[in-house]
Amino acid sequence: MHTFYLEPAKWQAPFIITGQEANHMAKALRLKAGEHVRLLDGQGLSGEFAITAVGGSSVKLEQVTLEQHPKPEGRCFLAAAYTKAARRSFMLEKSVELECGGIWFWQAEHSQAKVPADAKTHWQEQLVAGAKQSNNPWIPELRTMPDGAAEVCREAQRFKRRFLLWEDAGAPDMLQFEDIYASADTLFAMGPEGGLSANEVAAFKNAGFKPVSLGRRILRWETAAVFCLGLAWWAQELRLAKTAVNG
C-alpha cells in the first residue's frame, strides 16, 4: 500500500490531498477512486484511506482506519552545527528511519556557511520522504539556531541527559551503554567539520553537557550524527523487546 503525507492542519474530513502528493498519486502512480492508501501526519497519526475522487490538482479520500501511535521513549535529539548541504541531506534522510526526535542546526564559529533563520522547505520535504519510505509516523522536530551555542544551551535545559561530542586531545570519557539505554530523551551536540571553538566548548560544559568520545577515529560530521542516532534506536529496540518479554 502506498504511503502519503497529509500535514496535521489538514487532518480532518473532508480529507483532501493537494500539491506534490496529489500529483504523485494521480499522475505518477495513476491511482483511481476505490483504491486504498496509507496517510500519516508526521505527529503520530496514520491510517488507511479510500480514494473517493481524483481531480486535476487534488485527491479526495475517506477514512477507513485510524491509529494514534504513542510517542517513542528515549529518543535521540541532535544539535548539529551547520555544515555542507550534501552532509545535511544524508543525515536528514537517516534521521527519520532511525526515529530521531529532533534536529537543531546551529551556527558554529567554524561553520562553512550561515544557517538560515528558519528551516528550509526542502529539508522538511526530505524528512517527509523518509517518513513515507520507512512508515515512521513521527517526523523529527526541525529547527535552526542562528544564535549559536548560547541558543542551543538555553533550549537544552529540558533535557536531563546532554552530551557533547568532542574530539579532544585530553581524551574525554567514552560514551557508555548506560548513557543511551534509559528511557529519557537524549541530546547530542556536535560541532562542524572545522571543530568546536574554545568558547563553544566552555559554553556547553557550563550548560551541563558531558563531553564524550565515540572512539579513536575522527568521524565525519554525518557519520557521527547517524552513529548516535543508530545507538539510540538500537537501545530503544532493546527496551521494547525487553518489555514485550516481561509483559
Side-chain angles (χ1 to χ4, degrees):
M1 186 182 298
H2 296 289
T3 300
F4 298 90
Y5 172 72
L6 180 63
E7 54 265 45
K10 296 181 180 179
W11 197 274
Q12 57 190 2
F15 294 90
I16 300 175
I17 299 288
T18 59
Q20 183 176 342
E21 292 288 81
N23 186 63
H24 186 56
M25 272 187 179
K27 296 182 180 179
L29 297 175
R30 300 184 182 277
L31 298 179
K32 306 294 183 183
E35 295 189 76
H36 287 211
V37 298
R38 181 174 182 265
L39 294 187
L40 56 84
D41 77 338
Q43 298 298 311
L45 273 180
S46 71
E48 182 179 340
F49 287 75
I51 298 174
T52 58
V54 179
S57 60
S58 65
V59 177
K60 294 182 180 180
L61 306 106
E62 185 176 83
Q63 179 182 306
V64 177
T65 65
L66 185 66
E67 182 176 3
Q68 174 65 62
H69 301 267
K71 184 175 291 187
E73 295 183 343
R75 296 175 301 164
C76 177
F77 286 70
L78 292 175
Y82 199 57
T83 189
K84 292 179 180 179
R87 311 285 189 214
R88 293 195 305 271
S89 296
F90 177 82
M91 193 262 275
L92 286 169
E93 176 185 280
K94 300 307 173 187
S95 69
V96 190
E97 294 178 37
L98 296 171
E99 297 189 356
C100 177
I103 302 167
W104 304 349
F105 289 129
W106 62 280
Q107 186 68 50
E109 292 184 26
H110 298 156
S111 286
Q112 298 165 322
K114 186 174 181 180
V115 67
D118 298 299
K120 295 185 178 181
T121 300
H122 71 270
W123 297 349
Q124 184 67 22
E125 290 172 350
Q126 287 176 305
L127 295 179
V128 168
K132 290 161 57 179
Q133 180 274 322
S134 62
N135 281 335
N136 181 1
W138 290 95
I139 292 176
E141 168 193 50
L142 185 58
R143 300 177 60 182
T144 60
M145 296 188 172
D147 289 341
E151 187 172 0
V152 176
C153 291
R154 289 195 301 270
E155 296 297 322
Q157 296 309 304
R158 64 185 172 98
F159 293 87
K160 292 183 178 179
R161 299 190 302 164
R162 304 186 287 272
F163 297 97
L164 175 64
L165 305 183
W166 187 26
E167 301 164 1
D168 177 43
D173 294 335
M174 281 285 296
L175 183 69
Q176 300 295 312
F177 177 77
E178 293 77 13
D179 293 332
I180 59 170
Y181 187 70
S183 59
D185 289 344
T186 302
L187 176 62
F188 288 97
M190 52 186 291
E193 292 196 342
L196 294 161
S197 72
N199 289 335
E200 288 166 343
V201 170
F204 283 120
K205 284 184 174 181
N206 291 336
F209 282 79
K210 177 184 176 182
V212 293
S213 169
L214 297 180
R216 67 185 186 278
R217 300 296 182 206
I218 296 177
L219 303 180
R220 284 189 177 275
W221 182 89
E222 71 277 15
T223 307
V226 173
F227 183 71
C228 288
L229 291 173
L231 287 175
W233 183 82
W234 171 70
Q236 182 185 107
E237 291 298 300
L238 284 179
R239 289 196 304 273
L240 292 173
K242 184 176 180 180
T243 300
V245 170
N246 295 336

